[in-house]
Each structure stands twice: as C-alpha cells, then as structure tokens.
Amino acid sequence: MSLTISKHCASITPSVTLSINSKSNEMREKGIDVISFGAGEPDFCTPEYICNAAIEAIRHGKTKYTASSGTVKLRKAIADKLLRDNGLSYGADEIIVSNGAKQSLYIALQAMLDPGDEVLIPSPCWVSYPEMVRMCSGVPVYIRTSEERGFIPSAEDIEKMITPKTKVFILTSPSNPNGVVYDYEHMKAIAELAVKHQFYILSDEIYEKLIYDGKKHISIASISEEVKKQTIVVNGMSKAYAMTGWRIGYAAGPKDVIKAMGSYQSHATSNANSIAQEAATEALSREDDDMKKMVDEFEARRDLAYNMINAIPDMRCVRPEGAFYIMCNISKFLGKSYNGKKLSTSVELCSALLENFHVAVVPGEAFEAPNYFRISYAISRSQIKTGLERIAAFVSALQ
Ligand SMILES: Cc1ncc(COP(=O)(O)O)c(C=O)c1O
C-alpha cells in the first residue's frame, strides 16, 4: 500500500470562512488594521454566571467522563427549555448532547443517510451542510432560492426536487448566510411535504434567539405531532449565550434516531466536555438579561449595516430578520477591474478587497451564491461603519 490520504478525506473542501479568518489574522499580526466581517461568533463575553458555574463544577470535581449522550441534569434542562420556548415535549432518551451543534448535525446525518441518499438544502446555504452530507456518503441536492422571493423556497420549488431517494430536508431558520426567518405558512408547507413524501427534517435552530423586529421563532417540529416524529431539532449554546468555544450543542428527535446518534458518538468522541455541560445546565435554567442586551445590540447593528449597504450605489441586500449575517448582491461589480486586474468572481473580488482595502468578507461561492458576498455584523458599530465605508470606496474605484 502507498502512504496516501483517503479519497473521501482528500475530497473535502476546507471551510472558506475559517481560511478568510486566518488570512485576516495573519495580516493583523503584520500590524495591518483589518476589519473582519468574517466571524460567525458573537463578540460578547460568555455571561459571568455561566463562567461561575463552570468554576464551581471544577471545584466540585465534575471533571470526569459523563454519560456519552450528556448528563441527565443537562438533558432535563434541555427538555424544559424545548417545552418552555418551543412547545415541544421530549424525554431524556430523545435528547443527545454533543460537542457543538455542528457535531449534532453531523451525527444526525450519519444516523439517517445510506450511500446515495439525497438531502434537500435550500441555497444559499451554510458552508458545512453539503460537505457533511458528502462525508456521510449522501448527495446534496440544492433548492435554488431567489433574492426577489426573500431566499425562501416555495412548496412547488421543493416538490420538484423530491425523488424516491430524498431522505432529509435541512431547514435553517434563522438562516446563515442570509438571516432569513421562515414564516409559519412556509414551515407548514415543508412539514406537509415531509409527511406526504416521508423524509426527515433536520431543523437547525442555532440562531433561534437572534431574531428581530419582534418576530418569534417557530420550531417546525411544533407544527404537528406527525411532523415532530420525523424531525430532528438541533440547537446549542454557541450563539445565544456567546459560548462558541465551550462546544455544547444538542439534538432532540425520534428515539431511534437519537439512539443511533448516541451509538455513533460513543465511539467517535464520547461525551461533550463535563465542565461545559455543567455551565450549559446553569445557562438553560435561568432568565438571562445579558442575552436581551446582546440581541438588542445585534438589531441596532443590523439596521446600521442594512442602511449603509443599500446606500452604496449598485449594491443591495435583503433585510435580514435574524442571525447576524447579510448577503450583499455584488453582481453589478463582477467583471470590473481594480488596478487593471479583472475581478470575474466573488472570490477574486473579495481578495482584492482584503488586500487593498483591508476588509475581510466571505465570498458567495462558499454558500452556493456566486453573485454575493456575506458580511457578519458580529463586530462593533464603529467597525461596521468603517468597514462599510471602505467597501463603498473599493467598489467606487472599480472600473
Ligand atoms: C447554521 C449553523 N449551524 C450550526 C453551527 C455550529 O454551531 P456550534 O458552534 O454549536 O457547533 C453554525 C456555526 O457557525 C451555523 O452557522
């Protein structure tokens, strides 16, 4: 045998978002003042009461392996949260705790997919879904959505793509990369299709709490008992509690799927960090004023960024209602040149922007949206203002 990397691993595309972050960090280390709109994490600190719970956990020796699917205390706190916030009733054996929502999503796909099974993904979509599907030997099938229709697929758009191999539909509301929030009618249509054609719904609700304009999050599993039986709800602590580094996510769903996920996880990674599980239990068990302040600040930043982007000649964006991302339509600039160099793609345009104007954004190719780039407004208002002023200067210099 030769010393080669396996074909399935060699074919994985590394996360574009992470590579943009590392490029802008390198520039910063060289003393360049880079404004980075790349990050997918809140710039707030984890609330103090959560940090204190972790310190107490260490002092009380909560430093050993836990049950692979998570402590009973945390799964109970998650069950209470799902009932309180989403009207969903689950027992502890219908819940699993993982190393972040990302792991929950991945092992859920592992539990559901056989080789060749198709997974419907509305696009633009989060960068990791197609790779995860391929890593589970599944086939990503994109449902292209349009800016004109708010990036939400109609029931007809979805039904056209359903085949006998359709196994899962991935729903992300609020959405990364475009902040779209699905309304009840669209969710109901998806739920009905799932029941009619018998496929699972993988509902990624990680941005549930980051929702604006007085809107309320709906979990698709709450639409009917029937659809709940074929939905896996995924959520986690990263975004709502500014706990990205703690790595706690979870999934709730039908017993057989959760059990299969548990078997997979028990061999792949064992339990999530025991100290972080204690901290997450505390976070989910009390009212949180810090979260409200964070959400209000994100809403103000959304307004600032949205107004500034739409004031840039020839640039436009859809007003996001959740998460902390905006997709900027740059189709009018593609094919133009900067300093004599033609910029034909979003990747080329974004790298010229970073190199010459020191602003990092994520090219749309990462999200199956080549006519866009994505900004994350999880940075201060003054940075948003400076960054968007630089973007305006860059596009006005294109010829
Ligand atoms: C849509 C979406 N789902 C899941 C995740 C992963 O979250 P976690 O930090 O809990 O793994 C992210 C993180 O960026 C995300 O944007």
Side-chain angles (χ1 to χ4, degrees), residues 40-41 99-105 126-129 132 172 174-177 204-207 234-239 243-245 247-250 324-325 374:
E41 61 182 351
N99 297 284
K102 202 176 228 179
Q103 191 189 15
S104 290
L105 291 163
W126 183 44
V127 61
S128 292
Y129 297 139
M132 282 186 190
T172 321
S175 153
N176 174 6
D204 183 348
E205 303 182 16
I206 190 79
Y207 294 102
V234 174
N235 207 328
M237 311 306 292
S238 287
K239 317 287 177 174
M243 288 176 73
T244 45
R247 309 310 302 133
I248 297 290
Y250 54 86
F324 38 63
Y325 307 105
R374 187 197 77 177

